[in-house]
Amino acid sequence: MMKVYPSIIHEEDGGYWIEFPDLEGCHTQGDTMEELMTMAQEALGLYLVSLVERNMKIPVPSDIKKVEACGCPTTYVTTDIDKYRRDTRAVKKMLSIPAWLAKEAEDRNISLSKVLQDALKEQLNLA
């Protein structure tokens, strides 16, 4: 599940640090801009996964135009929070569907596993 949040970039002592105004305590740093952005994606992903795993609501991202940055640059950071979930191993589950529906899906090369995953994410408001 992809998420995008506005961030504020700070330059300090030859390096950089980034904060997410919508996510209290979510920040990270890097020596280069490339390292900073890699670390920002990870920090954002881990922060959001921790909210999901604790059954807390994920805050709605602010409009970047309304972020008060005190002259510092702002940018969006994107992350795939599924990448940071703790237990991502696949498990087999038995399910029953009508034979005609299974045949139709097979004929159209539709992955039942993907359809089920997508439907569960939507049903659980994780999409």
Side-chain angles (χ1 to χ4, degrees):
M1 170 179 18
M2 296 300 292
K3 292 291 183 183
V4 179
Y5 277 83
S7 63
I8 302 170
I9 298 173
H10 303 270
E11 188 172 354
E12 197 172 287
D13 298 328
Y16 304 92
W17 66 278
I18 194 166
E19 64 177 311
F20 297 90
D22 298 316
L23 308 171
E24 186 178 341
C26 185
H27 48 83
T28 190
Q29 62 88 36
D31 293 331
T32 65
M33 190 57 69
E34 292 81 9
E35 183 179 302
L36 178 70
M37 296 313 292
T38 299
M39 298 300 290
Q41 289 178 330
E42 182 177 280
L44 178 59
L46 290 169
Y47 188 97
L48 296 175
V49 163
S50 74
L51 295 179
V52 170
E53 289 177 348
R54 292 181 289 150
N55 294 318
M56 297 174 72
K57 187 174 180 175
I58 294 178
V60 175
S62 297
D63 180 339
I64 200 166
K65 292 180 229 139
K66 296 180 181 177
V67 171
E68 292 184 30
C70 301
C72 293
T74 58
T75 189
Y76 284 109
V77 175
T78 183
T79 193
D80 181 358
I81 68 170
D82 292 335
K83 178 179 175 182
Y84 299 99
R85 291 187 184 266
R86 294 179 215 278
D87 189 359
T88 58
R89 63 189 163 89
V91 295
K92 288 191 174 257
K93 293 290 181 185
M94 291 282 281
L95 69 127
S96 299
I97 60 173
W100 68 266
L101 193 55
K103 171 113 176 61
E104 193 71 32
E106 185 178 322
D107 289 348
R108 295 181 188 197
N109 294 317
I110 295 173
S111 165
L112 296 181
S113 291
K114 176 149 178 29
V115 169
L116 179 58
Q117 287 178 48
D118 291 346
L120 282 171
K121 286 177 184 177
E122 184 176 325
Q123 186 70 29
L124 297 168
N125 293 319
L126 299 175

